[in-house]
Every structure is written in C-alpha cells, then in structure tokens.
Amino acid sequence: QVQLVESGGGVVQPGGSLRLSCAASGFTFSSYGMHWVRQAPGKGLEWVAFIRYDGSNKYYADSVKGRFTISRDNSKNTLYLQMNSLRAEDTAVYYCAKDGMPGIAVAGSIDYWGQGTLVTVSS
Amino acid sequence: DIQMTQSPSSLSASVGDRVTITCRASQSISSYLNWYQQKPGKAPKLLIYAASSLQSGVPSRFSGSGSGTDFTLTISSLQPEDFATYYCQQSYSTPPTFGPGTKVDIK
C-alpha cells in the first residue's frame, strides 16, 4: 500500500529556514511526479510545488517561488521541500502527495496524500 | 492562473439526500477536473479524476460530470461518513489550482 510520511515540521522564526522530508513506499517512486500542498489553519488547500518523476522539471506557486525548493532522491524514495525566508503566512500543514499518472511531466491529479506536517512561523 | 470557484460554499443536508456541488473554471479546462473529500484533521482523498472517472475504492454514490468550464459532483444518497469538505482542482495547467471548498454538514 502507498505510504507517504512527512517529517521536519516545527516552529521557526520569521526569516528562518526549514527542510521537510517525505518518505515514500508502496509504489515505484521514481516513476511518479510528486507534489507539496499546504493548508493554513482553517483554510483551503493551496498547491505549493511539483517535481517531475526524474527531477528534471520543477514548478512552484508564485507565493513561494524563489524561497522554496522542491527536490527528490529517487535512490532513497524521498521527497524534500527546502523552505527559506519563511513568513507568518507560510504557517500551514504541509502535505506530501503523489501524482496520479506515471511518467507525466506536469502536475495532474493527486491520488495519495501523506498525513501532513505542521509548520508554524512565529516569533 | 486558472481560477476555480465552487458553489455553494456550504450546505446542510440529511442522510439519504441527493447533493450536488458545482465547480467553475475561469477558462476552459477540458476534462482536467478532479474532486477531493477532506474530513477534519485528515488528509484529502481523491474521489473523482478527469471530471467523471471514479477513483478506485470510492463508493458509486459519488459521480462527476461536466467539461469545459462547468462541473458537478453529485452524491446520490448522502451517508453519515460523507459529511466533509469537498474541493475541486484543475490539472489542465500549472499551477494546478483548487477551488475554495464546499462544506457539507448535517441538517
């Protein structure tokens, strides 16, 4: 069964950095694009970033472009999100999520989600 | 970016009711429309992809329809476990934007 387990969340001061990790299992990780999606407390879903199955293409929401970096290590079945210059408005639960179609270069539907990790940006 | 809207933003319904939620895209997205269900404190769950394809394991009381800019999610007979928030998402272009959600609660 597909499992996505996020880690690395916590409390960080404005301007600080944090790196999230997502350990994937139960599917051929290197064949699927992966997403990060976030949800601020009491708010809706906001797509953050997508990385192609082979890591050759990356896409970002305008709200995080230039501050966040998505990456993956297919040898370790792990997805990452490096978050720099964090702001209060980045406070959210961050979900690691698997794209629904293998071998696709752009973001599609999301068929599996992790349980999420909470990032709180506060002084 | 493609903007997604949903209506209503919330609704109250009873077990057994037929429920319809509408999603509209700011431009044509063909059939690149997905529906998710989210319960409090839980991750979203994919219900419908490509506008009308039922995700494996999802009960057949859920159905989706539409193409272009207008889409609907229908629950044919609402069950107690269906009280949740529902989101649409377009995957026609990047960024893959979500609608604001529709909360379905108990009347």
Side-chain angles (χ1 to χ4, degrees):
Chain A
Q1 69 284 18
V2 172
Q3 281 201 311
L4 299 169
V5 180
E6 302 97 335
S7 60
V11 180
V12 60
Q13 291 188 338
S17 298
L18 214 54
R19 187 175 87 152
L20 306 183
S21 299
C22 171
S25 60
F27 65 103
T28 306
F29 181 72
S30 59
S31 295
Y32 289 85
M34 296 293 294
H35 304 254
W36 287 100
V37 178
R38 69 184 181 184
Q39 187 169 36
K43 302 298 184 181
L45 300 169
E46 180 188 15
W47 174 83
V48 172
F50 171 82
I51 186 168
R52 183 174 145 140
Y53 60 94
D54 59 2
S56 62
N57 289 87
K58 306 172 184 181
Y59 304 90
Y60 299 92
D62 286 346
S63 58
V64 307
K65 200 172 295 183
R67 300 187 299 122
F68 289 13
T69 302
I70 189 172
S71 62
R72 64 191 298 158
D73 185 337
N74 284 348
S75 68
K76 296 181 178 179
N77 288 354
T78 303
L79 177 72
Y80 302 100
L81 185 68
Q82 177 66 43
M83 305 185 294
N84 298 332
S85 303
L86 283 161
R87 306 167 180 167
E89 54 264 36
D90 295 320
T91 294
V93 173
Y94 284 73
Y95 293 102
C96 163
K98 170 186 167 291
D99 199 87
M101 292 290 289
I104 297 299
V106 294
S109 64
I110 295 172
D111 62 353
Y112 288 95
W113 302 65
Q115 84 287 350
T117 187
L118 177 62
V119 172
T120 302
V121 184
S122 174
S123 55
Chain B
D1 298 358
I2 297 175
Q3 308 303 316
M4 307 300 294
T5 58
Q6 289 182 233
S7 61
S9 56
S10 64
L11 66 90
S12 296
S14 301
V15 173
D17 283 354
R18 182 181 182 89
V19 169
T20 299
I21 298 169
T22 297
C23 177
R24 177 165 290 174
S26 60
Q27 66 184 73
S28 177
I29 57 171
S30 184
S31 295
Y32 291 90
L33 192 283
N34 312 299
W35 290 98
Y36 302 87
Q37 176 195 66
Q38 187 180 33
K39 297 180 181 179
K42 301 294 187 181
K45 172 186 173 183
L46 179 64
L47 298 176
I48 302 283
Y49 64 95
S52 60
S53 295
L54 193 67
Q55 174 68 356
S56 176
V58 174
S60 58
R61 63 181 179 273
F62 291 93
S63 64
S65 65
S67 66
T69 60
D70 295 319
F71 302 86
T72 58
L73 172 70
T74 299
I75 309 171
S76 60
S77 178
L78 198 66
Q79 298 301 300
E81 60 268 29
D82 301 337
F83 293 97
T85 299
Y86 294 84
Y87 296 92
C88 62
Q89 175 228 358
Q90 65 81 17
S91 51
Y92 179 80
S93 68
T94 301
T97 41
F98 289 91
T102 295
K103 184 176 181 181
V104 177
D105 61 21
I106 302 171
K107 181 183 283 186

